[in-house]
Amino acid sequence: MNAITTTAPGALGADGGGSPGILVADGLVKQFGGLRAVDGVTLAVQPGEIVGLIGPNGAGKTTVFQMLSGFLSPNAGTVRFRGARIDGRNPAQVCRMGLARTFQIVEVFPSLTVLEVLTMAASVRHTMKAARAVAHEVCTKIGLATKGSLRCSQLTLPDQKALEIGKALATGPQLVLLDEVMAGLRPAETQRVVALIRALRDEGVTFLLVEHIMDVIMNVSDRIVVIAAGKVIAEGLPKAVANDPHVIDVYLGREVDLA
Ligand SMILES: Nc1ncnc2c1ncn2[C@@H]1O[C@H](COP(=O)(O)OP(=O)(O)OP(=O)(O)O)[C@@H](O)[C@H]1O
Ligand SMILES: [Mg+2]
């Protein structure tokens, strides 16, 4: 653990102030055969925060997300969402409780329209009639108001990324996990996604994001957690993390300009 780390293993408050957090993962371990992909990860997210989870390729970020969202069961450790244990529950149960995720690989249903996909997502919680209304609302919110009847295969990459966030949003989440939702976008296009995340946070949605685009993740996040080889190696304000010699050594390679 690094000097700027504020969450000790087993501690429940990310701010050190005792607030347990909307999401608390404690001592998560995931073993794939001989590989310990996640090796005792403890992290907490406070309501209304935007937390960035960063680290080298293969560090275990997506595996952590899989365990937080019910797609994988941890070999050890616990996950609490709004105070309730969710490790061991399935993804649909976790999603209905208000924790939604996007996937690292954009998953589109090429022949369905934008509104059909959003309606499908909203139907996790709603009757079909209500789901259609939610789908329209979300479609506008993500900037696709005029594209609701386009097939997903007709969308540009930035619109596909917005739709990924929309699918999570349509399930009515309090917390959204975004896994590299901005990968492949040009700088101007990432700004659109950043603006959307900020607007949603202002409406009360909490975010945990994985992203490799350093200036974006450092600018959008209130707090950063760094993992390497399955362990949390640093945690703190973006500026402190970006200038941390150990983080620079194992991941960043050079200091990040946060101008
Ligand atoms: N289902 C699986 N079976 C076996 N090994 C796996 C599985 N999923 C992930 N791994 C391995 O676990 C390690 C962590 O992978 P993970 O996908 O969590 O990394 P990551 O931090 O998301 O990386 P990236 O930044 O490249 O997306 C890697 O060595 C990966 O090859
Ligand atoms: Mg990943």
Side-chain angles (χ1 to χ4, degrees):
M1 281 260 174
N2 185 280
I4 57 169
T5 300
T6 54
T7 308
L12 296 185
D15 55 2
S19 166
I22 187 171
L23 179 77
V24 180
D26 200 12
L28 287 181
V29 172
K30 189 68 199 179
Q31 189 92 25
F32 294 120
L35 173 73
R36 193 167 272 240
V38 176
D39 191 7
V41 165
T42 291
L43 58 86
V45 179
Q46 302 303 317
E49 262 195 316
I50 300 176
V51 176
L53 180 62
I54 65 170
N57 293 118
K61 304 179 297 294
T62 297
T63 307
V64 167
F65 268 24
Q66 305 272 53
M67 290 190 278
L68 298 178
S69 53
F71 284 82
L72 283 177
S73 291
N75 295 106
T78 58
V79 183
R80 284 188 172 76
F81 177 59
R82 296 162 63 208
R85 283 279 294 270
I86 58 166
D87 47 284
R89 299 199 194 197
N90 67 44
Q93 290 171 322
V94 172
C95 183
R96 276 196 295 272
M97 290 174 75
L99 195 168
R101 68 170 291 192
T102 63
F103 291 85
Q104 187 167 353
I105 311 294
V106 173
E107 179 211 16
V108 287
F109 299 89
S111 61
L112 295 185
T113 68
V114 169
L115 277 171
E116 283 168 346
V117 166
L118 292 174
T119 303
M120 216 164 68
S123 67
V124 172
R125 267 187 199 265
H126 300 281
T127 62
M128 283 313 282
K129 189 171 175 223
R132 278 190 208 102
V134 169
H136 274 97
E137 199 183 302
V138 169
C139 197
T140 301
K141 206 170 265 187
I142 61 176
L144 298 183
T146 60
K147 300 179 181 170
S149 44
L150 289 186
R151 292 187 192 287
C152 295
S153 57
Q154 296 173 286
L155 294 180
T156 60
L157 187 66
D159 285 345
Q160 284 179 25
K161 304 282 189 173
L163 180 58
E164 279 303 295
I165 296 177
K167 274 162 55 189
L169 212 55
T171 67
Q174 277 145 325
L175 173 68
V176 177
L177 311 182
L178 301 178
D179 196 354
E180 295 199 38
V181 81
M182 290 180 252
L185 297 183
R186 296 192 194 97
E189 296 164 345
T190 63
Q191 285 317 305
R192 169 179 160 194
V193 179
V194 165
L196 177 60
I197 291 169
R198 289 207 170 112
L200 295 171
R201 187 265 284 278
D202 290 346
E203 289 180 19
V205 182
T206 304
F207 286 92
L208 178 60
L209 358 153
V210 166
E211 205 60 63
H212 282 292
I213 311 171
M214 273 313 107
D215 56 339
V216 170
I217 189 94
M218 291 294 186
N219 280 310
V220 77
S221 302
D222 301 312
R223 193 159 56 82
I224 299 279
V225 177
V226 189
I227 66 172
K231 291 181 194 296
V232 175
I233 60 160
E235 179 181 342
L237 296 176
K239 208 159 203 154
V241 166
N243 293 309
D244 182 274
H246 187 40
V247 176
I248 292 169
D249 188 38
V250 302
Y251 180 46
L252 298 177
R254 61 179 174 80
E255 292 185 28
V256 177
D257 182 6
L258 294 182

